[in-house]
Amino acid sequence: MRTPRQRTAVRKTEVDAGQRPGVTSEEAAEIKRLRAENAELRRANEILKAASAFFAAELDRPSKRS
């Protein structure tokens, strides 16, 4: 009798070998990497939006120069 951990390992091996449908270990790693990259790009985009809004507000203000 196999333990749940062994059954999981066998299923994973079968998926990786193409004997069973599912997401392979390589595909899962790529998805994980892409999700992390996507999150990083979203954070960078938010920072750039905030900076853009800040500088746009600075340009809209009337100059105090005489």
Side-chain angles (χ1 to χ4, degrees):
M1 184 177 237
R2 291 185 175 154
T3 66
R5 188 174 290 185
Q6 289 171 327
R7 284 192 294 273
T8 301
V10 169
R11 275 193 224 109
K12 195 174 203 180
T13 302
E14 290 173 347
V15 169
D16 288 346
Q19 300 169 346
R20 178 185 280 254
V23 178
T24 65
S25 297
E26 188 177 311
E27 291 169 332
E30 178 72 2
I31 290 168
K32 183 178 179 180
R33 185 190 68 76
L34 289 171
R35 284 184 175 155
E37 182 180 345
N38 193 10
E40 180 182 341
L41 291 171
R42 286 180 190 272
R43 285 190 299 273
N45 196 28
E46 289 301 317
I47 291 168
L48 291 172
K49 282 182 187 178
S52 176
F54 173 79
F55 288 115
E58 287 291 315
L59 291 174
D60 286 342
R61 290 187 188 149
S63 179
K64 294 185 180 180
R65 293 182 189 173
S66 297

